[in-house]
Amino acid sequence: MGAMQWLEATAFSAYLRESLWTYPIIESIHVLGLALFLGFAILLDLRLLGVGMRHVKVSELTERILPWTFVGAGIMVVTGILLFAGDPAKFYGSIFMRIKFLMLGAALLNAWYFHHSSDYLIRLPNWDGSMATPTRAKVAAVVSIVMWCLIVAMGRWIAYFLPA
Amino acid sequence: MLIELTRWLEHSALGQGIHNSSWLFPFIEVFHLIAIGILGGAVLLIDFRLFGWGLKRHSASELSRDVQPVLNIGLVTLIVSGFLLYASEGAKMYFNSAFRFKMLCLLLAVVYTFTWHRRIAGRSEDPEAPPNAKLAGALSLLLWLCVGLGGRAIGFI
């Protein structure tokens, strides 16, 4: 908790907090990053579920679209840290912020687990172009969609229900 | 005319219900945000392809056919959730210049997406980008960006 008070006392944090335009501009970029990150992640999930992007192979999406979701994630992390730095003690104390971080961990673990599963690492060539995707891919996709949508909800509610 | 409709909507059970609830407005906003992601992903995938990025082995027309249902779901969710948000405090938004700018850009973006943009994206079946592709993609990104920035600015004006 001492670290949060230290951060809050820095001139940088005060600048973010008191700026007229900087903070809303960072918020806007955070939401634009959402379109890139969440949008492309959902397209990949729909393909893994076998319900969308039927003419595109799974490997094409993971090779050519996944790098863009990393760009989106990078934008979200950098702008997210800046937003946090504007009012660190309050955000640190927010229950929704804490739930959001737990869910971020779970969502990343889910993605990591699927990308290191034998269905993806070894057997992908068998189902790469098919809409009949393995159960493990479908489960990973549903977990991914649910988790990222809940993370959006937690993020929105942080600003509504800040501790006094 | 529009302002009377807006006032009527705000005083309807729907508008009052959302307005008087402590959690409905932020709850609907979440759907609005998720829809930004869904629509944004679909729009970006097509526009990136028009720029020559991303899924280059597929033509822009094939990709836009694949992604059209996703785009439609995102747009409908955005409009429905946006309408509900408007219902709860429309009279305030009606006179907000950022809101008016946003609605103008939204109208242009929707008309453009379903006409010229769609024609350019659909013109070529071969993987080479059609002529004017980059211009069509840039205009699409610009219009949707204005919608988003206008939306963010509503709360600050």
Side-chain angles (χ1 to χ4, degrees):
Chain A
M1 198 58 204
M4 296 303 137
Q5 262 113 23
W6 171 83
L7 182 58
E8 194 169 334
T10 61
F12 182 62
S13 175
Y15 164 72
L16 288 171
R17 198 162 46 240
E18 287 155 16
S19 65
L20 185 59
W21 288 107
T22 310
Y23 208 77
I25 287 170
I26 297 169
E27 280 178 318
S28 300
I29 300 170
H30 198 64
V31 176
L32 290 174
L34 190 82
L36 187 58
F37 175 75
L38 183 69
F40 280 2
I42 286 179
L43 287 179
L44 175 58
D45 288 335
L46 291 176
R47 180 61 186 83
L48 289 177
L49 274 170
V51 299
M53 310 293 300
R54 61 180 61 249
H55 296 102
V56 182
K57 285 180 180 172
V58 173
S59 62
E60 287 181 87
L61 284 171
T62 52
E63 281 161 25
R64 308 218 37 109
I65 291 304
L66 208 52
W68 285 104
T69 70
F70 287 131
V71 173
I75 293 171
M76 303 224 69
V77 169
V78 171
T79 52
I81 289 171
L82 290 173
L83 292 174
F84 183 88
D87 208 344
K90 257 193 185 155
F91 285 137
Y92 182 83
S94 160
I95 183 71
F96 290 111
M97 176 67 88
R98 293 178 180 200
I99 299 172
K100 180 175 181 175
F101 270 87
L102 286 177
M103 287 181 160
L104 273 173
L108 293 174
L109 204 63
N110 173 59
W112 185 89
Y113 179 73
F114 172 66
H115 283 270
H116 289 81
S117 69
S118 51
D119 275 328
Y120 181 76
L121 278 183
I122 300 163
R123 287 189 286 277
L124 179 62
N126 301 338
W127 57 277
D128 199 7
S130 160
M131 293 302 268
T133 55
T135 307
R136 182 144 38 173
K138 290 193 170 84
V139 171
V142 169
V143 172
S144 165
I145 290 174
V146 170
M147 292 309 277
W148 290 118
C149 288
L150 285 172
I151 288 166
V152 172
M154 296 306 122
R156 174 66 284 202
W157 295 343
I158 287 170
Y160 267 92
F161 308 102
L162 274 179
Chain B
M1 166 62 188
L2 275 177
I3 185 66
E4 273 95 38
L5 253 172
T6 300
R7 291 221 170 90
W8 172 81
L9 192 61
E10 199 172 317
H11 291 114
S12 68
L14 180 74
Q16 284 298 301
I18 299 167
H19 188 82
N20 294 330
S21 159
S22 60
W23 60 272
L24 264 176
F25 197 90
F27 187 75
I28 299 165
E29 275 186 307
V30 169
F31 284 88
H32 207 61
L33 280 169
I34 292 168
I36 290 174
I38 296 173
L39 175 81
V43 167
L44 284 171
L45 192 85
I46 302 169
D47 289 343
F48 276 20
R49 181 61 191 82
L50 292 173
F51 290 144
W53 305 341
L55 300 167
K56 282 201 271 195
R57 257 180 280 170
H58 300 267
S59 66
S61 68
E62 189 178 32
L63 285 182
S64 54
R65 273 199 306 276
D66 261 12
V67 96
Q68 194 67 49
V70 180
L71 194 154
N72 293 343
I73 289 168
L75 189 58
V76 168
T77 310
L78 268 175
I79 291 173
V80 170
S81 58
F83 173 80
L84 291 174
L85 296 174
Y86 185 77
S88 78
E89 50 175 36
K92 204 164 89 189
M93 288 192 210
Y94 183 84
F95 295 105
N96 185 301
S97 52
F99 176 75
R100 291 182 172 194
F101 172 77
K102 177 180 179 175
M103 287 304 109
L104 178 68
C105 293
L106 175 67
L107 185 68
L108 291 174
V110 170
V111 169
Y112 171 71
T113 300
F114 286 92
T115 55
W116 197 57
H117 185 256
R118 191 183 221 180
R119 218 166 45 243
I120 293 279
R123 188 181 288 165
S124 166
E125 285 297 331
D126 67 71
E128 288 296 309
N132 296 334
K134 289 194 169 105
L135 181 66
L139 192 54
S140 160
L141 285 188
L142 181 71
L143 282 171
W144 287 115
L145 189 68
C146 285
V147 176
L149 293 180
R152 173 68 279 207
I154 291 171
F156 285 91
I157 286 180

